[in-house]
Amino acid sequence: MKLAVFSAKSYDRKYLDEVRAARFPDLCTIEHHAFALSSETVSLAQGCGAVCAFVNDTLDARVLTTLHGYGIRAILLRCAGFNHIDLAAAESLGLFVANVPAYSPEAVAEFAIALTQTLNRKTHRAYNRVREGNFNIEGLLGRTLHGKTVGIVGLGRIGMATARIFNGFGCRLLAHDPVVDSDTFRQYGTLVDLDTLLQESHIVSLHCPLTESTRHLINEKTLARMRPGAMLVNTSRGGLIKTEAVIQALKTHVLGGLALDVYEAEGELFYNDHSGEIIEDDVLMRLMTFHNVLLCGHQAFFTSEALTEIADVTLSNLSDFVARRSCKNSLVSEGHVVVPADKEPVRL
Ligand code: NAD
């Protein structure tokens, strides 16, 4: 069996090839493609039995139907989120789809904290100043985290890991999650409704999935409920935030800081070098003009431990499919979507 890997960067090649050679030598051969999967590049998968895709690959009904026509029966997502695949189309085509639900949640949680503290203590600005021999600390004033209220939206694996770390800073913790019960969270803080969380938190950190009901969870109305000057951190999915609304909230000082690892229109830009081009996304460019906005290119997961885990689970999922074993990470299997109701995907 040949596995076509799309959006393959040097690190994807390295970790997938190493794990394949060490743990799954007889499972498949791997064809890496630097291109993202789309209706323009899908023909590269011809002759393969399975496709491996990442967060900004296109897996809409059209692409899935073409892949199915090539005889491909397995789609392996080497990521946790699955808002970018049309699971209903995969179901009707009888495709097997699996993801990597948990690869070092601590990697993402630690990055959320890194963003928070960089923005809060302005170390990104200090770094540039000091390199130019400017040791003036005017404008670098931050706030002590100890005793501040942090609101965690989405108390799954990453949200809980983030709560544990903020707890270590001595923060007061609030969380909102429609599924998790308060017993699980009691040792760290209190479960509250979203409105209370927004009103009371100095820092709001988003860790829920992107679904129909969470798209633009942060919008004009919810921003108006936030504590004035609060910081918003998003390491989850860009679509959770209505970007135009946060720009307005930054302009009016309602929002005191915004730290993003994800952006709702990131698909066109992220993971590629556009430094020699004119970037046409005016919303993103406006966002980047604020001194109190910190933006990274979807790298919260990016640790060597997480990449090893991603490669290992991706190939284990393929191994389960090939051996016709039940796969604990399947999202669509034997013609049925098996996603829990609270994780219903956004339809493309
Ligand atoms: P998870 O499934 O373990 O937890 C998600 C939690 O969100 C669940 O407890 C669920 O009940 C809750 N939730 C659902 N709807 C909600 C709502 N409306 N309000 C509040 N909570 C809600 O997922 P996880 O592993 O913790 O990952 C969280 C998200 O992080 C993923 O969906 C993914 O999009 C994102 N992620 C980002 C990166 C990155 O590199 N930036 C890496 C991995 C995952």
Coordinates of all heavy atoms in Angstrom, one line a residue, residues 242-306:
K242 N -14.5 35.9 15.7 CA -14.9 36.8 14.5 C -13.8 37.9 14.5 O -13.8 38.8 15.3 CB -16.3 37.3 14.7 CG -16.8 38.1 13.6 CD -18.2 38.5 13.8 CE -18.7 39.3 12.7 NZ -20.0 39.9 13.0
T243 N -12.9 37.8 13.5 CA -11.7 38.7 13.5 C -12.1 40.1 13.5 O -11.5 41.0 14.2 CB -10.8 38.3 12.4 OG1 -10.6 36.8 12.4 CG2 -9.4 38.9 12.6
E244 N -13.1 40.5 12.6 CA -13.4 41.9 12.5 C -13.9 42.5 13.9 O -13.6 43.6 14.2 CB -14.6 42.2 11.5 CG -14.1 42.2 10.1 CD -14.2 40.8 9.4 OE1 -14.4 39.8 10.2 OE2 -14.1 40.7 8.2
A245 N -14.6 41.6 14.6 CA -15.1 42.0 16.0 C -13.9 42.3 16.9 O -13.9 43.2 17.7 CB -16.1 41.0 16.5
V246 N -12.9 41.4 16.9 CA -11.8 41.6 17.8 C -11.0 42.9 17.4 O -10.4 43.6 18.3 CB -10.8 40.4 18.0 CG1 -11.5 39.3 18.8 CG2 -10.3 39.9 16.8
I247 N -10.9 43.1 16.1 CA -10.2 44.3 15.7 C -10.9 45.6 16.3 O -10.2 46.5 16.8 CB -10.1 44.4 14.2 CG1 -9.1 43.3 13.7 CG2 -9.7 45.8 13.7 CD1 -9.0 43.2 12.2
Q248 N -12.2 45.6 16.2 CA -13.0 46.7 16.8 C -12.7 46.8 18.3 O -12.6 47.9 18.8 CB -14.5 46.5 16.4 CG -15.3 47.7 16.5 CD -14.8 48.9 15.7 OE1 -14.2 48.7 14.7 NE2 -14.9 50.1 16.3
A249 N -12.7 45.6 18.9 CA -12.5 45.6 20.4 C -11.1 46.1 20.8 O -10.9 46.7 21.8 CB -12.8 44.2 20.9
L250 N -10.2 45.8 19.9 CA -8.8 46.3 20.2 C -8.7 47.8 20.0 O -8.1 48.5 20.8 CB -7.8 45.6 19.3 CG -7.5 44.1 19.6 CD1 -6.9 43.4 18.4 CD2 -6.5 44.0 20.8
K251 N -9.4 48.3 19.0 CA -9.4 49.7 18.7 C -10.0 50.5 19.8 O -9.7 51.7 20.0 CB -10.1 50.0 17.3 CG -9.3 49.7 16.1 CD -10.1 49.6 14.8 CE -10.5 51.0 14.3 NZ -11.2 50.8 13.0
T252 N -11.1 49.9 20.4 CA -11.8 50.7 21.5 C -11.3 50.3 22.9 O -11.9 50.7 23.8 CB -13.3 50.3 21.4 OG1 -13.4 48.9 21.4 CG2 -13.9 50.9 20.1
H253 N -10.2 49.6 22.9 CA -9.5 49.2 24.2 C -10.4 48.3 25.1 O -10.1 48.1 26.2 CB -9.1 50.4 25.0 CG -8.2 51.4 24.2 ND1 -6.9 51.2 24.2 CD2 -8.5 52.4 23.5 CE1 -6.4 52.2 23.4 NE2 -7.4 52.9 23.0
V254 N -11.4 47.7 24.5 CA -12.3 46.7 25.2 C -11.4 45.5 25.5 O -11.4 44.9 26.6 CB -13.5 46.4 24.4 CG1 -14.2 45.1 25.0 CG2 -14.5 47.6 24.3
L255 N -10.6 45.1 24.5 CA -9.7 44.0 24.6 C -8.3 44.6 24.9 O -7.8 45.5 24.1 CB -9.7 43.2 23.3 CG -9.4 41.8 23.3 CD1 -10.2 41.0 24.3 CD2 -9.6 41.2 21.9
G256 N -7.6 44.1 25.9 CA -6.3 44.6 26.3 C -5.2 43.9 25.5 O -4.0 44.4 25.5
G257 N -5.4 42.7 25.0 CA -4.4 42.0 24.3 C -5.0 40.8 23.6 O -6.0 40.2 24.1
L258 N -4.3 40.4 22.5 CA -4.8 39.2 21.8 C -3.6 38.4 21.3 O -2.7 38.9 20.7 CB -5.6 39.8 20.5 CG -6.1 38.7 19.6 CD1 -7.2 37.9 20.2 CD2 -6.7 39.4 18.3
A259 N -3.6 37.1 21.8 CA -2.6 36.2 21.4 C -3.2 35.1 20.6 O -4.1 34.4 21.0 CB -1.9 35.6 22.7
L260 N -2.7 34.9 19.4 CA -3.3 34.0 18.4 C -2.2 33.0 17.9 O -1.2 33.5 17.4 CB -3.9 34.7 17.2 CG -5.1 35.7 17.5 CD1 -5.5 36.3 16.2 CD2 -6.2 35.0 18.2
D261 N -2.6 31.7 17.9 CA -1.8 30.8 17.2 C -2.5 30.3 15.9 O -1.9 29.7 15.1 CB -1.5 29.5 18.1 CG -0.6 28.5 17.4 OD1 0.5 29.0 16.9 OD2 -0.8 27.3 17.4
V262 N -3.8 30.7 15.8 CA -4.6 30.3 14.7 C -5.4 31.5 14.2 O -5.7 32.5 15.0 CB -5.6 29.2 15.2 CG1 -4.9 27.9 15.4 CG2 -6.3 29.6 16.5
Y263 N -5.9 31.4 13.0 CA -6.6 32.6 12.4 C -7.6 32.0 11.4 O -7.3 31.0 10.7 CB -5.5 33.5 11.7 CG -6.1 34.5 10.7 CD1 -7.0 35.5 11.2 CD2 -5.8 34.5 9.4 CE1 -7.5 36.4 10.4 CE2 -6.4 35.4 8.5 CZ -7.2 36.4 9.0 OH -7.8 37.3 8.2
E264 N -8.8 32.6 11.4 CA -9.9 32.0 10.7 C -9.6 31.8 9.2 O -10.1 30.9 8.6 CB -11.2 32.7 10.9 CG -11.3 34.1 10.6 CD -12.8 34.6 10.9 OE1 -13.7 33.9 10.8 OE2 -12.9 35.8 11.2
A265 N -8.8 32.7 8.6 CA -8.5 32.5 7.1 C -7.1 32.1 6.9 O -6.4 32.4 6.0 CB -8.8 33.8 6.4
E266 N -6.5 31.3 7.9 CA -5.1 30.9 7.8 C -4.8 30.0 6.7 O -3.6 29.9 6.3 CB -4.7 30.2 9.2 CG -5.3 28.8 9.4 CD -4.9 28.2 10.7 OE1 -4.9 28.9 11.8 OE2 -4.5 27.0 10.7
G267 N -5.8 29.3 6.2 CA -5.6 28.2 5.1 C -4.8 28.7 4.0 O -4.0 28.0 3.4
E268 N -5.0 30.0 3.6 CA -4.3 30.5 2.4 C -2.8 30.8 2.7 O -2.0 31.0 1.8 CB -5.0 31.8 1.9 CG -6.4 31.6 1.6 CD -6.6 30.8 0.4 OE1 -5.9 31.1 -0.6 OE2 -7.4 29.8 0.4
L269 N -2.5 31.0 4.0 CA -1.2 31.6 4.3 C -0.3 30.7 5.1 O 0.9 30.6 4.8 CB -1.4 32.9 5.1 CG -2.0 34.1 4.3 CD1 -2.5 35.1 5.3 CD2 -1.0 34.7 3.4
F270 N -0.8 30.1 6.2 CA 0.0 29.5 7.2 C 0.8 28.3 6.6 O 0.4 27.6 5.7 CB -0.8 29.0 8.4 CG -1.2 30.2 9.3 CD1 -1.2 31.5 8.9 CD2 -1.6 29.9 10.6 CE1 -1.5 32.5 9.7 CE2 -2.0 30.9 11.5 CZ -1.9 32.2 11.0
Y271 N 1.9 28.1 7.2 CA 2.9 27.0 6.9 C 3.7 27.3 5.6 O 4.3 26.4 5.1 CB 2.2 25.6 6.8 CG 1.6 25.2 8.1 CD1 0.2 25.0 8.3 CD2 2.4 25.1 9.3 CE1 -0.3 24.7 9.5 CE2 1.9 24.8 10.5 CZ 0.5 24.6 10.6 OH 0.0 24.3 11.8
N272 N 3.5 28.5 5.0 CA 4.3 28.8 3.8 C 5.0 30.2 4.0 O 4.5 31.0 4.8 CB 3.5 28.8 2.6 CG 3.1 27.4 2.2 OD1 3.9 26.5 2.1 ND2 1.8 27.1 2.1
D273 N 6.1 30.4 3.3 CA 6.8 31.7 3.4 C 6.2 32.7 2.4 O 6.3 32.4 1.2 CB 8.3 31.4 3.1 CG 9.1 32.7 3.2 OD1 8.6 33.8 3.5 OD2 10.3 32.6 3.0
H274 N 5.6 33.7 2.8 CA 5.0 34.7 2.0 C 5.8 36.1 2.1 O 5.3 37.1 1.7 CB 3.5 35.0 2.3 CG 2.7 33.7 2.1 ND1 2.2 33.3 0.9 CD2 2.3 32.8 3.0 CE1 1.6 32.2 1.0 NE2 1.6 31.9 2.3
S275 N 7.0 36.0 2.7 CA 7.7 37.2 3.0 C 8.1 38.1 1.8 O 8.2 39.3 1.9 CB 9.0 36.9 3.8 OG 9.8 36.0 3.1
G276 N 8.1 37.4 0.6 CA 8.5 38.2 -0.6 C 7.2 38.6 -1.4 O 7.3 39.0 -2.6
E277 N 6.0 38.4 -0.8 CA 4.8 38.7 -1.5 C 4.0 39.8 -0.9 O 4.3 40.2 0.2 CB 3.9 37.4 -1.5 CG 4.6 36.2 -2.2 CD 3.8 34.9 -1.8 OE1 2.6 35.0 -1.4 OE2 4.4 33.9 -2.0
I278 N 3.0 40.3 -1.7 CA 2.1 41.2 -1.1 C 0.9 40.4 -0.5 O 0.3 39.6 -1.2 CB 1.5 42.2 -2.2 CG1 2.6 42.9 -2.9 CG2 0.4 43.1 -1.6 CD1 3.3 43.9 -2.1
I279 N 0.7 40.5 0.8 CA -0.3 39.7 1.4 C -1.6 40.5 1.3 O -1.7 41.6 1.6 CB 0.0 39.4 2.9 CG1 1.2 38.5 3.0 CG2 -1.2 38.8 3.7 CD1 1.7 38.2 4.4
E280 N -2.6 39.8 0.7 CA -3.9 40.5 0.3 C -4.9 40.5 1.4 O -6.0 41.2 1.2 CB -4.4 39.9 -1.0 CG -3.5 40.2 -2.2 CD -4.1 39.7 -3.5 OE1 -5.3 39.3 -3.5 OE2 -3.3 39.7 -4.5
D281 N -4.7 39.8 2.5 CA -5.7 39.7 3.5 C -5.6 41.0 4.4 O -4.8 41.1 5.3 CB -5.4 38.4 4.3 CG -6.5 38.2 5.4 OD1 -7.1 39.2 5.8 OD2 -6.6 37.0 5.8
D282 N -6.5 41.9 4.1 CA -6.4 43.2 4.8 C -6.8 43.1 6.3 O -6.3 43.8 7.2 CB -7.4 44.2 4.2 CG -6.9 44.6 2.8 OD1 -5.7 44.4 2.5 OD2 -7.7 45.1 2.0
V283 N -7.7 42.1 6.6 CA -8.1 41.9 8.0 C -6.8 41.4 8.8 O -6.5 42.0 9.9 CB -9.2 40.9 8.1 CG1 -9.6 40.5 9.5 CG2 -10.4 41.4 7.3
L284 N -6.1 40.5 8.3 CA -4.9 40.0 9.0 C -3.9 41.1 9.1 O -3.3 41.2 10.2 CB -4.3 38.8 8.2 CG -3.1 38.2 8.8 CD1 -3.4 37.5 10.1 CD2 -2.4 37.2 7.8
M285 N -3.7 41.8 8.0 CA -2.7 42.9 8.1 C -3.1 44.0 9.1 O -2.2 44.5 9.8 CB -2.5 43.5 6.7 CG -2.0 42.5 5.6 SD -0.7 41.4 6.3 CE 0.8 42.4 6.1
R286 N -4.3 44.3 9.2 CA -4.8 45.2 10.3 C -4.5 44.7 11.6 O -4.0 45.4 12.5 CB -6.3 45.6 10.1 CG -6.8 46.5 11.2 CD -6.2 47.9 11.0 NE -6.6 48.9 12.0 CZ -5.9 49.3 13.1 NH1 -4.7 48.7 13.3 NH2 -6.4 50.2 13.9
L287 N -4.8 43.4 11.8 CA -4.5 42.7 13.1 C -3.1 42.9 13.5 O -2.7 43.1 14.6 CB -4.9 41.2 12.9 CG -5.3 40.4 14.2 CD1 -6.4 41.1 14.9 CD2 -5.8 39.1 13.7
M288 N -2.2 42.7 12.5 CA -0.7 42.7 12.8 C -0.2 44.1 13.1 O 1.0 44.2 13.5 CB 0.0 42.1 11.6 CG -0.1 40.5 11.7 SD 0.2 39.6 10.2 CE 1.7 40.2 9.6
T289 N -1.0 45.1 12.9 CA -0.5 46.5 13.2 C -0.6 46.8 14.7 O 0.0 47.8 15.2 CB -1.3 47.6 12.5 OG1 -2.7 47.5 12.9 CG2 -1.2 47.4 11.0
F290 N -1.4 46.0 15.5 CA -1.5 46.4 16.9 C -0.3 45.9 17.7 O 0.1 44.7 17.5 CB -2.8 45.6 17.5 CG -4.1 46.1 16.9 CD1 -4.7 45.5 15.9 CD2 -4.7 47.3 17.4 CE1 -5.9 45.9 15.4 CE2 -5.9 47.7 16.9 CZ -6.5 47.0 15.9
H291 N 0.2 46.8 18.6 CA 1.3 46.4 19.4 C 0.9 45.3 20.4 O 1.8 44.6 20.9 CB 1.9 47.6 20.1 CG 1.1 48.1 21.2 ND1 1.1 47.6 22.5 CD2 0.2 49.1 21.2 CE1 0.2 48.2 23.2 NE2 -0.4 49.1 22.5
N292 N -0.4 45.2 20.7 CA -0.8 44.2 21.8 C -1.5 43.0 21.1 O -2.3 42.4 21.7 CB -1.7 44.9 22.8 CG -2.9 45.6 22.1 OD1 -2.9 45.8 20.9 ND2 -3.9 46.1 22.9
V293 N -1.1 42.7 19.9 CA -1.5 41.5 19.2 C -0.2 40.6 19.0 O 0.7 41.2 18.4 CB -2.3 41.7 17.9 CG1 -2.5 40.4 17.2 CG2 -3.6 42.4 18.2
L294 N -0.3 39.4 19.3 CA 0.8 38.5 19.1 C 0.3 37.3 18.2 O -0.7 36.7 18.6 CB 1.3 37.9 20.4 CG 2.6 37.0 20.4 CD1 3.8 37.8 19.8 CD2 2.9 36.6 21.9
L295 N 0.8 37.1 17.1 CA 0.3 36.1 16.1 C 1.4 35.1 15.8 O 2.5 35.5 15.4 CB -0.2 36.8 14.9 CG -0.7 36.0 13.8 CD1 -2.1 35.3 14.2 CD2 -0.9 36.8 12.5
C296 N 1.1 33.9 15.9 CA 2.0 32.8 15.4 C 1.3 31.9 14.4 O 0.0 32.0 14.3 CB 2.4 31.9 16.6 SG 3.6 32.8 17.7
G297 N 2.0 31.2 13.6 CA 1.5 30.5 12.5 C 1.1 29.0 12.8 O 1.6 28.1 12.1
H298 N 0.2 28.8 13.8 CA -0.3 27.4 14.1 C 0.8 26.5 14.4 O 1.0 25.5 13.7 CB -1.1 26.9 12.9 CG -2.2 25.9 13.4 ND1 -3.4 25.8 12.8 CD2 -2.2 25.0 14.4 CE1 -4.1 24.9 13.4 NE2 -3.4 24.4 14.4
Q299 N 1.5 26.8 15.5 CA 2.7 26.0 15.9 C 2.6 25.5 17.3 O 3.6 24.9 17.8 CB 4.0 26.8 15.7 CG 4.1 28.0 16.7 CD 5.5 28.7 16.7 OE1 5.7 29.6 15.9 NE2 6.4 28.1 17.5
A300 N 1.5 25.6 17.9 CA 1.4 25.2 19.3 C 1.7 23.7 19.5 O 2.3 23.3 20.5 CB 0.0 25.5 19.9
F301 N 1.4 22.9 18.5 CA 1.6 21.5 18.6 C 3.1 21.1 18.4 O 3.5 20.0 18.6 CB 0.8 20.7 17.5 CG 1.3 21.0 16.1 CD1 2.2 20.1 15.5 CD2 1.1 22.2 15.5 CE1 2.7 20.3 14.3 CE2 1.6 22.4 14.2 CZ 2.4 21.5 13.6
F302 N 3.9 22.1 17.9 CA 5.2 21.8 17.3 C 6.3 21.5 18.2 O 7.2 22.3 18.4 CB 5.5 23.0 16.3 CG 6.5 22.7 15.2 CD1 6.3 21.6 14.4 CD2 7.5 23.5 15.0 CE1 7.2 21.3 13.4 CE2 8.4 23.3 14.0 CZ 8.3 22.2 13.2
T303 N 6.3 20.3 18.8 CA 7.5 19.8 19.6 C 7.9 18.5 19.0 O 7.1 17.8 18.4 CB 7.1 19.7 21.1 OG1 6.2 18.6 21.2 CG2 6.5 20.9 21.7
S304 N 9.1 18.1 19.3 CA 9.6 16.8 18.8 C 8.8 15.6 19.4 O 8.5 14.7 18.7 CB 11.1 16.6 19.0 OG 11.4 16.8 20.3
E305 N 8.4 15.8 20.6 CA 7.6 14.7 21.3 C 6.2 14.6 20.6 O 5.8 13.5 20.3 CB 7.3 15.1 22.8 CG 8.6 15.0 23.6 CD 9.5 16.2 23.5 OE1 9.1 17.2 22.8 OE2 10.5 16.3 24.2
A306 N 5.6 15.7 20.3 CA 4.3 15.7 19.6 C 4.4 15.1 18.2 O 3.6 14.3 17.8 CB 3.7 17.1 19.6

